[in-house]
Amino acid sequence: MYLSYPRLQRLHSGCPSAAPADMRPSRGPDPRSSRLATTLPVRSGALVIDRLQRTAVIGGRQLDLTYVEFELLAHLASRPRQVHTRHQLISAVWGRPPVGETRTIDVHIARLRRKFGPEHRATLTTVRNVGYTYDPTRKAP
């Protein structure tokens, strides 16, 4: 492969657009493309999530969710009983690795629990010092 001298200088300076496509750093697959590919409603216990209409219904009651709450819930519900770290959740929902504090996930989970109501809030479980899981079989105490 032939690279001109000015292009080599830009490449050496760290300019990513100067590198040929096969030499550019890969970010991996776009996480949003996998979200769009999943078009079937997710049914998990009393929860039904329709990604096409961007609706979430729990116990027959439609939830009024923000974009981040919806994406977070859809990610957790599509993998029930799997423990997710805060880093994994931020990467999945925001589509990039976390920078700095990851406690924003705690705030969004608390808001989801409030919106679930007392009869369903136990399904979003905290795994101490690790992260969170969605378990549709858990009942309120």
Side-chain angles (χ1 to χ4, degrees):
M1 171 185 322
Y2 172 76
L3 292 174
S4 65
Y5 182 71
R7 196 165 177 196
L8 279 174
Q9 283 182 319
R10 285 193 312 255
L11 181 62
H12 183 66
S13 70
C15 178
S17 62
D22 60 337
M23 292 177 62
R24 290 186 192 139
S26 172
R27 292 184 182 177
D30 185 353
R32 290 169 288 180
S33 65
S34 64
R35 274 190 242 141
L36 296 175
T38 309
T39 57
L40 295 176
V42 175
R43 299 179 196 287
S44 187
L47 180 67
V48 179
I49 296 178
D50 187 343
R51 287 184 182 267
L52 287 178
Q53 295 182 6
R54 298 202 52 85
T55 59
V57 177
I58 190 158
R61 183 174 45 90
Q62 185 163 344
L63 301 173
D64 182 26
L65 302 176
T66 65
Y67 175 83
V68 170
E69 290 167 348
F70 181 85
E71 290 299 324
L72 182 60
L73 181 58
H75 182 76
L76 288 167
S78 65
R79 297 157 183 84
R81 291 182 283 287
Q82 179 181 336
V83 177
H84 303 269
T85 66
R86 289 176 182 90
H87 289 278
Q88 289 171 335
L89 291 171
I90 288 174
S91 295
V93 173
W94 278 270
R96 58 178 171 75
V99 177
E101 191 59 48
T102 60
R103 300 304 244 177
T104 185
I105 292 294
D106 301 351
V107 173
H108 291 294
I109 292 289
R111 289 179 183 161
L112 281 171
R113 285 180 177 146
R114 250 181 269 131
K115 291 178 181 185
F116 272 24
E119 64 277 5
H120 298 290
R121 73 173 36 134
T123 58
L124 288 172
T125 310
T126 301
V127 180
R128 278 192 191 270
N129 298 323
V130 179
Y132 296 95
T133 185
Y134 173 75
D135 186 354
T137 61
R138 279 186 62 117
K139 302 292 181 205

